[in-house]
Amino acid sequence: MADTNTSYEFRLFINNEFVDATSGRTISVRNPSNGNVVGNVQVAGSADVDAAVEAAEAAFKGPWSKFTGPQRRDCLIKFAELIEMRIPEFAKAETLSMGATIMLTQHVFGPWTVATLKSSASFADKIEGQSFTDQDDGTYKIVEWGPAGVCAAVSTWNAGLVYFAFYVGAAIASGNTLVYKASEKSPFDALIIADLISEAGFPPGVINIISGDGETGAQLAAHMKIRVLGFTGSAPTGKKVAELAAKSNMKKTILELGGKAPGVVFDDCNLDNVVQVCASHFLAINGQACTASTRLLVQSSIAATFTQRMKEAFEKVEADLPRDPIDPTSGIGALADEKQLEHVLAGIEAGKKDATVLTGGSRKGTSGCYVQPTIFVDVKEGSQLWREEVYGPVVLIKTFETEEEAIELANDTEYGLAAQIFTRDIARAIRIARKMEAGVVTINAGGIGDLQSAFGGTKGSGHGRTGGWYGVREFMEPKTIKINMKYDG
């Protein structure tokens, strides 16, 4: 059964044209709220990946190389403006494909996508270099930043529109060309956007959009002509991407991987704010966010009150499930697909061996990809639940006594993407933030990104950054030019 009368683009976009994949393979995308088919998308095989890379290479060496910074800026701004006019269409495609609410995709992801592209555009005509005088050794040195060449990006599904903007904006602002692979769980928003690329003024081959599964992503990671690869996804897959990149041509990788973020809750916090962030905001995307506080560390003096408040908040959301995420009044959607549903349920069952279920703990209903919002207490620190990312509406609560204990518990993970601290004592918050082994530490708020600062992880959560100048610089290479000032011939 089809979910919509809209016929979404299912082909690949290479060299400013929609073309059929040569692989002959397709992937069926289903609405996770009801199982209906949204559409069938073509899978890029090795020949298709080669064609996209060749188009990008020709553009990088050809017309695109003659575009100035202001010209690149203007193309990106126009691209953003064209996208802005069609946000409802893109948002609907994303909601139908991966289950996030239309409220989230249309009113958060859509505007954020536009703002991110415009922010990246602002750097296109402001790329600076450095110079060093000849006072020390008689050599005048210049360091210039230039594009790396043909780049690629493999996107995740939980916020596909946003990651499209992060990677495309940064790579294009700095003068590269790009092959972008949309997630097989939610490919249609990127393919709809592809229709605007030529209209925005980009020459053929500058931005190429393909779809496919892990095999397609692996071909990009191993391709000998790609110089930089951005990947957002799970830590196990990120390791495979890094290995393929190293074994091929040592291409640079930007890896934004999973998380097991701690939320450290002190007894002087604003409890209403904490519950809002750790329950309402967390559940808005069903916990499918790598920055989400899934390990809640609570000072023992307020643990009983906090736990009861969280339980009530989770059960209130559960009472509203299942809801169709396309309904504008829906506050929580479905998990991304059947595979994700199975993964989350398996994580919950594994957690039951080493922890106590306070609320939830099961599938919600018998159809659709819905899980009861779940809270675990009395969790063993070395358990699978403590160590591994569930990536669903599942949190665990553990108490602590002292600041030192909180820091030790928070850092007891191989992940290092995000951490949150909740306290009215700002001096303590900053003191603890500096000791957190995480790329992004947020105080009295959730782990959200922005357009100015760096976003990315440490340890097992990857390396490289998106956001602002930090993201643009990841797609560039510094070149040093030296001039012998003593030369007189």
Side-chain angles (χ1 to χ4, degrees):
M1 180 177 178
D3 195 78
T4 173
N5 292 324
T6 302
S7 179
Y8 290 125
E9 180 58 62
F10 56 88
R11 296 170 295 175
L12 315 179
F13 185 79
I14 299 174
N15 222 26
N16 275 13
E17 293 182 343
F18 285 105
V19 297
D20 287 311
T22 61
S23 70
R25 294 174 57 212
T26 61
I27 293 174
S28 181
V29 179
R30 293 181 177 273
N31 184 332
S33 71
N34 55 29
N36 293 344
V37 174
V38 179
N40 297 298
V41 68
Q42 295 185 358
V43 174
S46 59
D48 305 304
V49 170
D50 285 342
V53 172
E54 288 169 7
E57 183 180 37
F60 181 74
K61 293 179 178 180
W64 186 240
S65 66
K66 299 178 175 61
F67 272 56
T68 64
Q71 286 177 307
R72 297 197 302 271
R73 175 201 64 203
D74 292 346
C75 284
L76 279 170
I77 290 175
K78 186 174 181 180
F79 192 32
E81 290 172 345
L82 291 170
I83 291 172
E84 189 170 24
M85 291 188 291
R86 292 174 62 179
I87 284 177
E89 181 183 354
F90 306 136
K92 182 179 180 181
E94 192 154 13
T95 290
L96 291 176
S97 298
M98 53 72 68
T101 66
I102 195 70
M103 180 277 297
L104 196 62
T105 58
Q106 183 167 330
H107 300 292
V108 178
F109 293 169
W112 200 356
T113 298
V114 173
T116 298
L117 287 171
K118 289 182 177 180
S119 174
S120 297
S122 69
F123 294 101
D125 60 349
K126 300 178 184 65
I127 295 172
E128 301 176 345
Q130 292 175 296
S131 64
F132 303 87
T133 65
D134 62 341
Q135 293 177 354
D136 296 330
D137 58 4
T139 303
Y140 184 71
K141 295 165 279 286
I142 301 169
V143 179
E144 296 182 346
W145 287 87
V150 178
C151 300
V154 178
S155 179
T156 186
W157 45 265
N158 64 332
L161 285 169
V162 175
Y163 281 103
F164 175 89
F166 270 135
Y167 285 128
V168 170
I172 299 306
S174 49
N176 300 280
T177 55
L178 185 74
V179 179
Y180 178 89
K181 189 193 89 67
S183 169
E184 63 270 29
K185 296 182 190 292
S186 180
F188 297 114
D189 46 10
L191 291 172
I192 297 170
I193 285 174
D195 197 38
L196 304 176
I197 290 172
S198 177
E199 187 178 351
F202 293 108
V206 175
I207 303 173
N208 305 276
I209 299 176
I210 62 177
S211 51
D213 50 16
E215 184 179 333
T216 306
Q219 290 165 3
L220 290 171
H223 205 286
M224 294 297 293
K225 290 187 176 182
I226 292 173
R227 299 303 172 190
V228 179
L229 174 72
F231 171 79
T232 302
S234 70
T237 304
K239 290 179 181 179
K240 295 177 182 177
V241 167
E243 183 178 1
L244 289 169
K247 286 183 177 180
S248 55
N249 61 349
M250 289 293 292
K251 63 176 61 64
K252 179 181 180 180
T253 55
I254 306 162
L255 303 177
E256 199 258 277
L257 309 177
K260 194 73 176 175
V264 183
V265 184
F266 285 95
D267 58 9
D268 67 339
C269 70
N270 180 327
L271 198 56
D272 291 338
N273 174 61
V274 181
V275 173
Q276 177 75 6
V277 171
C278 297
S280 299
H281 292 177
F282 170 78
L283 293 174
I285 195 170
N286 253 313
Q288 297 172 128
C290 48
T291 60
S293 292
T294 55
R295 293 183 301 135
L296 296 175
L297 310 175
V298 186
Q299 201 155 25
S300 58
S301 57
I302 62 166
T305 301
F306 173 79
T307 301
Q308 181 61 30
R309 290 282 303 273
M310 287 289 291
K311 180 176 183 291
E312 292 170 357
F314 269 48
E315 290 176 349
K316 181 179 180 180
V317 171
E318 183 194 339
D320 201 35
L321 287 175
R323 288 286 301 278
D324 188 346
I326 206 70
D327 182 344
T329 65
S330 179
I332 180 173
L335 293 173
D337 60 7
E338 288 284 346
K339 183 178 179 180
Q340 186 65 14
L341 173 66
E342 293 172 3
H343 173 78
V344 172
L345 290 175
I348 290 174
E349 289 306 309
K352 291 177 180 178
K353 299 174 183 178
D354 297 304
T356 301
V357 175
L358 179 68
T359 187
S362 301
R363 182 175 182 174
K364 181 72 174 183
T366 57
S367 63
C369 300
Y370 295 94
V371 170
Q372 295 174 326
T374 301
I375 299 175
F376 282 96
V377 295
D378 304 322
V379 184
K380 294 181 181 178
E381 292 174 27
S383 68
Q384 179 178 328
L385 185 64
W386 179 268
R387 297 291 184 198
E388 297 182 13
E389 186 177 41
V390 177
Y391 218 62
V394 180
V395 300
L396 57 91
I397 297 176
K398 188 174 184 61
T399 63
F400 70 87
E401 298 291 340
T402 66
E403 182 178 309
E404 292 72 24
E405 183 185 5
I407 295 169
E408 183 178 355
L409 289 170
N411 290 335
D412 184 24
T413 173
E414 283 302 308
Y415 292 106
L417 180 59
Q420 287 90 51
I421 302 167
F422 299 92
T423 177
R424 286 187 170 92
D425 187 339
I426 297 303
R428 174 168 61 184
I430 295 174
R431 182 171 64 247
I432 295 174
R434 288 172 175 164
K435 295 180 180 180
M436 288 291 184
E437 297 171 355
V440 181
V441 182
T442 311
I443 298 169
N444 294 326
I448 58 175
D450 60 71
L451 302 177
Q452 293 83 34
S453 62
F455 179 82
T458 62
K459 301 197 298 188
S461 290
H463 54 249
R465 296 294 184 266
T466 57
W469 167 244
Y470 304 94
V472 174
R473 189 170 59 183
E474 293 287 355
F475 286 92
M476 304 184 76
E477 294 289 350
K479 177 180 289 186
T480 299
I481 301 172
K482 298 182 178 181
I483 305 170
N484 180 5
M485 301 302 289
K486 296 180 180 179
Y487 178 69
D488 60 3

